[in-house]
Amino acid sequence: MSPIDYFILEFYDDCDIQASPKVVAANIDYDRQYTGKRLKALTDEYLLQQGENGLYSLTDRGRAFLSGELGADELEG
């Protein structure tokens, strides 16, 4: 997990919306391309999901991670 990952997950938890990498990057003050790479990595860990519309949202697993029910050591990557 990178520091940006926590900002991304917290953004989705706070806003509870579907959002594009551009919207997330603008709200957490990170580069859009780097944010997009991290969104894909978090999707690979099933912390986020990407809908058919290309927008990302927080999963139940992501919520469990944020609440401490799932530890970073339990993630694959």
Side-chain angles (χ1 to χ4, degrees):
M1 295 286 291
S2 297
I4 185 178
D5 296 344
Y6 295 96
F7 292 124
I8 291 170
L9 294 172
E10 288 172 358
F11 167 80
Y12 280 105
D13 191 43
D14 290 344
C15 297
D16 196 27
I17 61 170
Q18 294 182 348
S20 68
K22 182 177 181 178
V23 169
V24 176
N27 282 278
I28 65 170
D29 202 26
Y30 271 86
D31 176 72
R32 188 204 60 79
Q33 290 181 332
Y34 183 58
T35 300
K37 288 176 70 172
R38 297 312 307 160
L39 287 171
K40 289 182 193 301
L42 292 168
T43 300
D44 291 344
E45 294 289 345
Y46 304 104
L47 300 175
L48 295 177
Q49 65 183 7
Q50 185 177 21
E52 291 180 20
N53 57 5
L55 302 178
Y56 293 85
S57 59
L58 190 62
T59 63
D60 289 339
R61 182 175 162 95
R63 285 184 179 77
F65 177 78
L66 287 172
S67 70
E69 296 173 31
L70 177 70
D73 57 329
E74 298 176 74
L75 302 177
E76 295 176 17

